[in-house]
Amino acid sequence: MTKRAGDERIADFNEVNEGISEQNAVLEALRCMDCVRPQCTKGCPVNIDISAFIRAIAEEDFKGAAAIIKKDNMLPAICGRVCPQENQCEGLCVLGKKEKPVRIGALERFVADREREAGMTLPEIMSPTGKRVAVVGSGPAGITAAAELARYGHSVTVFESLHEAGGVLTYGIPEFRLPKEIVKAEIEQILDMGVELKLNHIAGRTVSVEELLEFDAVFLGTGAGLPSFMGIEGENLSGVYSANEFLTRVNLMHANAFPEYDTPVMKGSRVAVVGGGNVAMDSARVSRRMGAEVYLIYRRREEDLPAREEEVHNAIEEGVEFICCANPVKILGGPAVTGIECVRMEMCDLDESGRPCPVPMKGDEAVFTLDVDVVIEAIGQSPNPLLVSLIEGLERGRRGNVIVDEHGLTSVDRIYAGGDIATGAATVIEAMGTARKAAVSINEMLMKK
């Protein structure tokens, strides 16, 4: 799968990866060993029949391949772009033991793009059951739950607080990684299945908890949108953003094009991004496209970065400077940011994640300062407590997540949850997997009643 050159792509927000050609898709599909006991499917959180759809591509039955995928995943063009296949399906590919694994993600993307260009086909929908389900949130978990419940014939209403659907797919992931026309197209097909979408509806406010409980079942898929901060001096200065706010302003509100759009964002000339995950990479790469010199500060080694290797390479190609084994201790300035003070870190014993535990080095030589005018903190996020605090009897974990059983059922009868609100911050496909399990359980509960 080819991609645009780094110096070319930082001049715009167009997609970086250019996809795979039909000829190469067929050739790649022919590499598949069609295992009797395919391990790749075990690595897929939504259990796509990977061998079957790859076999269909090898036979040049692209429409059939799309139908196979959509039996288990109604968002294949999205997943083909943002799923960490290297840690899931491709990570378990038998071919990967001796050579490169089959590029399952690229093939999924190829099939989904091909179908979208030719015209999407809706999956089979069962007869109406007369049961009503409320889905709160239109991110990966909410949309997946809505699609699966609609397949079963239930009447589904999705309540979304923002003015556009998609959740993190819309406000969190930049256009150059996930074009918004892809998100809109795949959500539109779910609405074509009969799902009702109500935008600008804040659950617990615009629509009350009592109104939600009038439905036969409720699925909570509100994600993890509450940003974490370092708690250091200077975080209240002008020019300090959480990654959530920064990315939402650009991705959803088009602040990079201000004043053509109403929402502004501070366009720094020198930006410090704190963190090492995919959100940090997105923040750094967006800042580069807005003309800034960008430092990415991470407290561990480069090989410990939790972001996808592909995204790390893309950031390096685009001119992001990595400052590893360092941690901010103070943001300088007043009233606006003028710099960030950091301390060098040394790696000690391994922690629970298997990575070395960073400890601040001692001595004046361990402290250094970077001249920056914007600081973006991308060090994690947790579920927003607003809605869950309004539902009486809903049990929450230490980090604010809703506690669910193996079926996605919460401590309150008829209320289910999935995605980041239940698991904490995770990947798009993991959120979809938990939502799909919950949808199966909701259907079983409704049909028993």
Side-chain angles (χ1 to χ4, degrees), residues 357-391:
C357 185
V359 176
M361 295 176 66
K362 297 179 180 179
D364 294 341
E365 67 277 4
V367 179
F368 66 96
T369 299
L370 295 173
D371 294 328
V372 298
D373 47 14
V374 169
V375 175
I376 302 170
E377 299 190 32
I379 59 171
Q381 54 274 338
S382 57
N384 193 314
L386 172 62
L387 174 62
V388 296
S389 64
L390 297 174
I391 301 176

Side-chain angles (χ1 to χ4, degrees), residues 65-385:
I68 292 168
I69 295 173
K70 289 168 72 172
K71 286 180 182 178
D72 303 295
N73 179 7
M74 288 295 293
L75 307 176
I78 292 172
C79 291
R81 286 168 165 80
V82 302
C83 277
Q85 294 96 0
E86 64 275 12
N87 298 326
Q88 296 174 340
C89 53
E90 293 180 15
L92 294 179
C93 176
V94 173
L95 272 178
K97 294 180 179 180
K98 293 186 177 180
E99 51 183 288
K100 290 184 179 180
V102 175
R103 293 294 304 275
I104 299 169
L107 293 177
E108 181 180 29
R109 168 184 168 157
F110 165 77
V111 166
D113 289 352
R114 185 70 173 252
E115 188 205 27
R116 187 180 66 260
E117 293 165 1
M120 291 184 174
T121 302
L122 295 180
E124 183 179 350
I125 299 173
M126 297 180 184
S127 301
T129 64
K131 301 293 184 180
R132 299 167 61 241
V133 183
V135 173
V136 184
S138 67
I143 286 296
T144 297
E148 296 305 315
L149 291 164
R151 286 188 209 253
Y152 291 126
H154 305 309
S155 175
V156 182
T157 301
V158 177
F159 296 97
E160 168 56 49
S161 63
L162 296 175
H163 60 279
E164 286 190 31
V168 70
L169 303 173
T170 299
Y171 73 75
I173 303 176
E175 182 87 13
F176 53 79
R177 274 220 295 144
L178 180 61
K180 300 307 165 240
E181 64 178 23
I182 302 290
V183 178
K184 290 178 180 178
E186 297 207 320
I187 291 177
E188 193 63 39
Q189 68 171 334
I190 292 168
L191 300 183
D192 290 342
M193 294 169 65
V195 172
E196 181 183 14
L197 173 63
K198 292 192 174 184
L199 301 173
N200 301 307
H201 276 66
I202 302 176
R205 291 290 186 263
T206 315
V207 53
S208 67
V209 172
E210 290 72 24
E211 289 174 299
L212 290 176
L213 294 177
E214 291 176 1
F215 287 79
D216 296 299
V218 178
F219 175 82
L220 305 179
T222 52
L226 186 66
S228 300
F229 288 91
M230 294 179 287
I232 61 175
E233 183 180 344
E235 284 183 318
N236 62 334
L237 295 175
S238 176
V240 179
Y241 292 95
S242 70
N244 292 47
E245 179 187 354
F246 177 75
L247 291 173
T248 298
R249 283 175 178 267
V250 176
N251 297 335
L252 179 65
M253 307 303 293
H254 310 291
N256 57 297
F258 178 83
E260 181 182 348
Y261 291 86
D262 293 336
T263 300
V265 71
M266 189 173 291
K267 293 184 178 180
S269 59
R270 293 163 66 89
V271 174
V273 177
V274 183
N278 289 325
V279 176
M281 299 303 151
D282 288 342
S283 300
R285 297 173 67 197
V286 166
S287 298
R288 283 291 291 142
R289 283 161 174 76
M290 293 170 62
E293 182 179 342
V294 180
Y295 305 104
L296 189 135
I297 305 169
Y298 180 57
R299 60 182 184 154
R300 290 188 172 94
R301 303 167 302 180
E302 185 172 327
E303 56 264 38
D304 300 317
L305 285 163
R308 295 183 69 186
E309 186 176 345
E310 176 186 8
E311 300 309 321
V312 174
H313 288 165
N314 283 336
I316 293 172
E317 289 174 354
E318 292 168 8
V320 174
E321 182 179 341
F322 283 68
I323 302 176
C324 295
C325 298
N327 202 41
V329 293
K330 183 179 180 180
I331 300 174
L332 308 173
V337 172
T338 60
I340 188 166
E341 184 177 303
C342 304
V343 62
R344 302 284 181 191
M345 309 293 282
E346 58 182 346
M347 302 299 109
C348 295
D349 296 334
L350 301 182
D351 62 15
E352 294 178 356
S353 69
R355 296 177 298 175
C357 185
V359 176
M361 295 176 66
K362 297 179 180 179
D364 294 341
E365 67 277 4
V367 179
F368 66 96
T369 299
L370 295 173
D371 294 328
V372 298
D373 47 14
V374 169
V375 175
I376 302 170
E377 299 190 32
I379 59 171
Q381 54 274 338
S382 57
N384 193 314

